[in-house]
Amino acid sequence: MEPASRLDNNHDLAVKDFPYIIRWRDDRCKRCGKCTAVCPMYSIEPAVVVKRTLHSEGSTPEPKSTRRVETIVKQTTDIGKYCTGCGTCTLVCPNEAIEPEYNPQHKFNFHKNRGGHPYRRGGRRNDPSPSTLDKLRFSRISMLTDPALDAGRHEFRIRTYLGRILPAEELPVKAVDGRLEVTKKSGTFIPPVREIYPVMIGSMSIGALSPNMWEGLAMGITYLNEVEGMPVVMCSGEGGMPQRLLKSRFIKYFIPQIASGYFGWDEIVRTIPHMVEDPCAIEIKYGQGAKPGDGGLLMAHKVLKLISEIRGVPMGVDLPSPPTHQTKYSIEEAVAKMIQSMSMAWGFRVPVYPKISGTHTAKAVLNNLIRNPYAAALSIDGDDGGTGAAYNVSMDSMGHPIASNVRECYLDLVAQGKQNELPLIAAGGVGKRGNLAANAAALFMLGASAVSIGKYIMQAAAQCFGDEYNRCNVCNLGKCPRGITTQDPRLYRRLDPDKVAERVVEVYKSLDVELKKIFAPMGRSTELPIGMSDGLSTDDPAIAERLKIKFTC
Amino acid sequence: MCRLAALTSAEYISPMETILALETMKEGHDGSGMGLILKGLGGEFEDLKDYPVLSGICSEAGMKTLDSYMNKIGFKLKYTWTPKTKAIKGIKGHDNYFARVYDYPDIVKDRPEPVKEGLLLNTRLALRALGELDESIIIFAFYPDILALKEVGDPLQLGEFFGLEKSSLKAKIILAQGRQNTNYAINLYACHPFFIQGYGTMTNGENTAFVPIREFLSGRNIPGYIGYNSDSEVFCHILHYTCRQLGYPLHYYKDVITPLKQEEIDRRPDHEATSFLKMSLRPLCIDGPNCVIGFTPDGTCFMVQDSKKLRPGVVGGLNGKYGLMSEECGLDSAIPGREKSTDIFPMKYDMVIIKPDAEEVTVWNQLHG
């Protein structure tokens, strides 16, 4: 007997199974078609329905039916075209006739594995609850016993160091006639150190980001450095950088990243003799907090002319970065060599540091790096970070939060008296709920010398739609409706690099004010309050105990 | 705000002079303690300058423990000074206050100074540990030509309690500090001035960067960098670390605790070295508000301010006698006949340095190096 499902659509999904349900208002819609044209997922489509209406005239019921053909906007129930909730339809609608609505009862994760392919996405961890960082408060306030500083009047220096710092005992200085002099002949290797703004823009590649987005960020930080005097730096992400930038004097504001695919490095190495300035630093990526142990993939359709030139690869081919460096077999050997090789490439004038995923084993890595005189820092990326593309299971379930990871690493350094020698860079969920300054300041006080941001700047500078309810999060598909993570010119031309740059500058200037507003009442202004854990408290006893900070209630 | 009164003189002077200066500066209740450190001791100590003086407080039981420990190590008691205390209402007091002069154990007598200093420090720490739990032994200093006296109470009353007015106790450098009334749960180890191996400081103000500084100092593995019952003790240890451990000239203390901006450093003749210091000693940066007064082993005295000059502080006097005070009325009390127009109010870049025996005052400017 023929199954009944063909007749009653029993194996289809209902709109109710989807994470976002389109609320379309017939009475407002003028059928212009903009929403269906713009939808990156083809989740809505113009459809034709037949409507039968009954009406009766006269004193006794004499129902007559009329059949009318109408055009409507219909949400598909094809899981491959699920509505991501991005809301681009709402943006383009002239009559406020359409918007997606989050459906908390959705069963998306039960179904998004058709063809045996696990769900892959971009974005973040999809955890809307407050992070540990958001639960920390600054509660050591100088008031009447001693005057607090004035954020508006006093001078503040919000700066940090990137690079290995020699302990004072090893400095090649000696007193001559009451004055300290550097003894040139000592032969001491003095590692390169940069003074930077302590909130960096983390690694997002050209490739993952659209040319317009990357250009906007780059222009923004250049303006901050050159005009505002704020030494904000930015990491390139894997995949190289444009030759024009590499050969320019602006390269000093950038941190080229080398990762497991080594993309772009043939081009970079060939450019070294032509570079007029050294880069700020070199980051070696060993792991990413949002998807530890997972590699990267720049899909073929994103590998257009510009990307192929920068990365030194043919156009239109998939570019997989393996989960680990193929040459890496031990931290003692291969990692040390890689750090040394990168240092050597720039004559030991450029700080070189590794970036790892947050992990229980971070302390082991740290302890090895402490003993490597060429390691310039350790960047730890926590699990609340974002990613361009990853398996859902990696993003949702893998990783280690940054707060306790950076804290235990810092305290380990303190126990060895080396907390000022190897800077810790913390990343992963900084500004996740918009509290950028508070999250960054909390991380400094837990022991980070600097923090890196990614998602925050995409949201603040380019209005990225993504959120912790899996809104949009299609960075992996090249369909970014804002034009941030796509190589499709039809999409990225919608993003104005000048506007992005302007927002980057606004974000940093307001961040600077907010950091002062935190530091001033706590009486800190001259140096970043790294490790000032007595300034922090939380109303969660378990967090207080783990982070060794005060419990308040 | 704590009140600070320091005098440095070519002649021996009585500690009452500094206590009276504290009294002049007093405003409101002030009973949480007073500390005195005397350097360049006169009177009965004048002929004992080469021998270490153990300053502290003991209970009767603690005294026995102390004696037995000192005997075991081989220190030989040469002279004991005890204040002639008299009962004063409001001052609880302890059993035994003392400054005991010892001769070195035979095994170290002919050893170099650093060995002797190491032994003195370790002995002080051991005695402190022996009596810390039950507070039976409290040791403030064990060093040649240094005497320390501390107790809870109003400074003037304490002067009377210790009978200092009639005492022959005199010194060429005296640091006195009266603590303000916000510091309760009083522990005498939290009482300024602080001392370690020839270096002494006292401070007023809140040290907002205390925790990172304490963690940095504790990690140096240098004996004596312990305690920190007060957030101001670190100022003394930073001085010791800068000058003794690292061997930097005194004025680099200012560069360590209040580093200049890099663009300011770049204009200094010693910019290369100062840039290194700024980075390597970053965790020792204080953020004020603090005024620090101190001395070094050779008898140099100094005053520095935080990088915003948020605290009062004045230096003035005559040739042969200078006062370093937190307020000018204190200076008026201690050195009334001076030419007031030459008083120095150190600002944020200044370090006032007075040579031993109050011979000369100089103001070192951090911007010029």
Side-chain angles (χ1 to χ4, degrees), chain A residues 140 142 146 155 157 160-161 166 169 178 180 184 193 417 419-420 522-527 532 534, chain B residues 205-206 208-209 211 215-216 220 241 251-252 261 263 272 276 278-280 282-283 285 287 307-308 311:
Chain A
R140 187 195 193 284
S142 298
D146 287 284
E155 189 176 10
R157 291 284 291 174
T160 194
Y161 294 121
L166 285 182
E169 290 82 356
L180 288 180
K184 305 278 184 196
V193 179
Q419 65 268 45
N420 192 46
M522 305 179 81
R524 298 303 305 271
S525 62
T526 314
E527 289 287 350
M532 186 185 163
D534 58 327
Chain B
E206 177 186 7
T208 51
V211 167
E215 285 176 345
F216 184 82
R220 298 306 94 200
Y241 181 61
H251 60 261
Y252 286 97
K261 289 178 285 206
E263 50 270 34
E272 271 187 294
F276 285 143
K278 181 178 163 72
M279 287 191 281
S280 296
R282 168 167 63 157
C285 166
D287 249 336
S307 60
K308 295 185 175 53
R311 283 284 177 216

Side-chain angles (χ1 to χ4, degrees), chain A residues 394-444:
Chain A
S394 299
M395 272 194 277
D396 280 4
S397 309
M398 300 292 296
H400 191 303
I402 189 60
S404 65
N405 219 187
V406 81
R407 184 71 179 143
E408 66 188 2
C409 283
Y410 178 75
L411 290 177
D412 200 52
L413 289 172
V414 167
Q416 301 178 55
K418 292 179 182 295
Q419 65 268 45
N420 192 46
E421 293 173 35
L422 194 81
L424 295 170
I425 303 165
V430 186
K432 175 183 173 180
R433 286 156 68 93
N435 309 318
L436 177 58
N439 289 176
L443 281 166
F444 301 146

Side-chain angles (χ1 to χ4, degrees), chain B residues 129-178:
Chain B
L130 278 175
E132 193 147 24
L133 261 186
D134 57 2
E135 295 188 351
S136 60
I137 303 174
I138 304 169
I139 301 296
F140 302 124
F142 189 26
Y143 201 77
D145 210 20
I146 290 288
L147 190 151
L149 200 56
K150 298 179 184 182
E151 187 47 280
V152 176
D154 175 87
L156 195 61
Q157 287 185 338
L158 281 173
E160 202 181 344
F161 172 74
F162 286 127
L164 292 178
E165 205 158 349
K166 292 174 189 157
S167 165
S168 56
L169 187 64
K170 287 188 169 20
K172 289 187 173 178
I173 296 172
I174 301 169
L175 264 57
Q177 195 243 18

